[in-house]
Amino acid sequence: MTNVIEDNLESIELLDIQQYQNMTVIGLNTPNTRPPDLMPLDVGLSMGLVEITEVDENGSVGQLNVINNAVTPLLLMDGEEIKGAKQNRIINATMIIPAKSQQIIDVSCSESGRWNYNSQTFKHSYHMASSKVRRSKQESVNNSLRTSNQRISNQSQVWDDIESTQASLNIESSTHAQQDTFISLEKDIDNYLKHFPLQQKQNASIIIINNQVIGMELLYNADKYSQYHQRYMESYIIDAITQQDEHADDNVDAAKLSEEFINRIRLSKIEEYQENNTNDYRLEDDQITGSFIFYEDNLVNASILRKHELTHI
């Protein structure tokens, strides 16, 4: 474990425990870092400062072209979904696109049944991929970095994860679009969301479903995290709804589970990859998978997720 990551883990403060149905969230406060001002993707798209298109007229499922016309670096978050063009996509990894620059990025398709234009450019869907999709994608991206130094996902697994969730919840989608899952479950998601409001000082969360820690999400300060909190919660709520029939013990010690999960992160192997001014630390062991993203030596984002096949941690 690198010292800079260890320093952030050592200083974590656990906030209030929030619980509803089979899902528990523990808000976290970690030391704020101060990277240069970063522009969220939804802001850049809505202001017309960012344009995302297919790489060419024919398109490529796994890549898109990003143009950042702003004077501010652009923050792309792992799992963010954009909609339009030939099919909806999700971002494969957190990255920073420099100001006034253009870059081809790796993405995954989140709509397997469409391959035709419904717009020339992309808009933000204001959703993130479900935690189930993100954690299997994270594993395959980590493996891709290790073998080819690229952030390529297992596209078939992404489609399978989206479609299996829709099948288990009897959700009909003509194009198997992840977006349709959120639309179909809107009322159920809102019922969960009311029980997980943003807490003062919160810039991270640990999420527990059915007595198992499913993941930890962190952004570099409370103000920036507040812009993503609801999307993070929705990402996990989808899987909580899918697993509502599974047994959960009301007497579980959520704080203890959280501390064990943080300790597991400390014990995990770390591999470092660099791109421009970004350091991408990838974490992997037999139980969890994740990443810590630093920009100009400041922690920007961490996303650590429990692997599919586990039955306990």
Side-chain angles (χ1 to χ4, degrees), residues 3 6 165 267:
N3 289 337
E6 179 65 29
T165 295
L267 297 174

Side-chain angles (χ1 to χ4, degrees), residues 235-280:
S235 171
Y236 288 89
I237 287 168
I238 292 292
D239 293 326
I241 292 171
T242 306
Q243 300 170 39
Q244 273 184 336
D245 293 336
E246 298 181 15
H247 174 71
D249 181 0
D250 292 336
N251 297 317
V252 67
D253 188 337
K256 181 180 179 182
L257 288 179
S258 297
E259 289 167 0
E260 290 173 351
F261 190 77
I262 292 169
N263 192 53
R264 168 60 58 179
I265 295 172
R266 289 193 180 99
L267 297 174
S268 298
K269 179 182 178 182
I270 297 287
E271 295 175 331
E272 181 180 359
Y273 301 89
Q274 292 184 324
E275 182 175 342
N276 298 323
N277 292 326
T278 303
N279 294 79
D280 187 343

Side-chain angles (χ1 to χ4, degrees), residues 37-48:
D37 186 32
L38 300 174
M39 180 174 61
L41 176 58
D42 59 325
V43 173
L45 288 171
S46 65
M47 293 181 65

Side-chain angles (χ1 to χ4, degrees), residues 3-249:
N3 289 337
V4 67
I5 294 176
E6 179 65 29
D7 289 345
N8 280 272
L9 294 177
E10 280 291 338
S11 304
I12 286 178
E13 175 190 357
L14 271 61
L15 305 177
D16 292 342
I17 297 174
Q18 303 168 325
Q19 195 276 331
Y20 178 70
Q21 300 281 25
N22 60 334
M23 181 166 157
T24 301
V25 175
I26 300 183
L28 307 174
N29 174 253
T30 70
N32 286 349
T33 59
R34 293 178 173 80
D37 186 32
L38 300 174
M39 180 174 61
L41 176 58
D42 59 325
V43 173
L45 288 171
S46 65
M47 293 181 65
L49 296 172
V50 174
E51 183 177 283
I52 304 181
T53 62
E54 302 289 352
V55 292
D56 55 34
E57 187 63 27
N58 293 325
S60 168
V61 172
Q63 291 187 316
L64 292 175
N65 182 47
V66 179
I67 301 174
N68 178 17
N69 289 313
V71 295
T72 304
L74 172 67
L75 174 63
L76 303 180
M77 292 291 291
D78 177 23
E80 276 191 287
E81 185 182 48
I82 51 177
K83 61 181 182 178
K86 302 195 76 169
Q87 57 185 193
N88 300 350
R89 312 297 219 289
I90 55 176
I91 309 298
N92 275 1
T94 296
M95 62 183 67
I96 289 89
I97 309 296
K100 298 292 183 180
S101 70
Q102 179 174 342
Q103 187 171 326
I104 301 296
I105 65 167
D106 293 317
V107 295
S108 300
C109 169
S110 56
E111 184 183 20
S112 61
R114 179 171 70 92
W115 187 246
N116 58 275
Y117 280 99
N118 64 14
S119 64
Q120 287 299 310
T121 61
F122 286 88
K123 296 180 180 180
H124 207 287
S125 78
Y126 297 97
H127 295 297
M128 301 186 83
S130 72
S131 59
K132 178 179 181 178
V133 169
R134 288 195 297 121
R135 62 183 180 253
S136 61
K137 178 188 61 60
Q138 183 97 272
E139 283 188 72
S140 60
V141 168
N142 284 4
N143 185 61
S144 172
L145 276 167
R146 200 174 296 119
T147 57
S148 66
N149 204 34
Q150 295 178 287
R151 293 167 176 80
I152 299 172
S153 71
N154 181 335
Q155 180 61 72
S156 295
Q157 185 64 56
V158 171
W159 285 331
D160 287 348
D161 287 341
I162 292 171
E163 292 175 22
S164 66
T165 295
Q166 291 178 341
S168 67
L169 297 171
N170 296 314
I171 294 171
E172 294 186 5
S173 171
S174 60
T175 61
H176 295 292
Q178 176 189 248
Q179 183 177 229
D180 291 339
T181 303
F182 286 96
I183 293 171
S184 298
L185 297 176
E186 183 176 4
K187 290 184 178 179
D188 294 316
I189 291 171
D190 285 345
N191 286 336
Y192 271 82
L193 279 174
K194 287 184 292 186
H195 295 83
F196 304 115
L198 182 70
Q199 300 183 56
Q200 188 176 7
K201 301 194 301 181
Q202 183 176 0
N203 72 313
S205 293
I206 284 181
I207 300 90
I208 299 169
I209 297 175
N210 292 340
N211 306 332
Q212 295 178 332
V213 176
I214 304 301
M216 183 180 85
E217 309 291 346
L218 181 153
L219 270 167
Y220 56 92
N221 63 40
D223 178 65
K224 191 63 67 176
Y225 175 87
S226 69
Q227 299 173 49
Y228 293 87
H229 176 74
Q230 179 171 322
R231 295 174 204 171
Y232 277 136
M233 294 301 102
E234 290 176 341
S235 171
Y236 288 89
I237 287 168
I238 292 292
D239 293 326
I241 292 171
T242 306
Q243 300 170 39
Q244 273 184 336
D245 293 336
E246 298 181 15
H247 174 71
D249 181 0

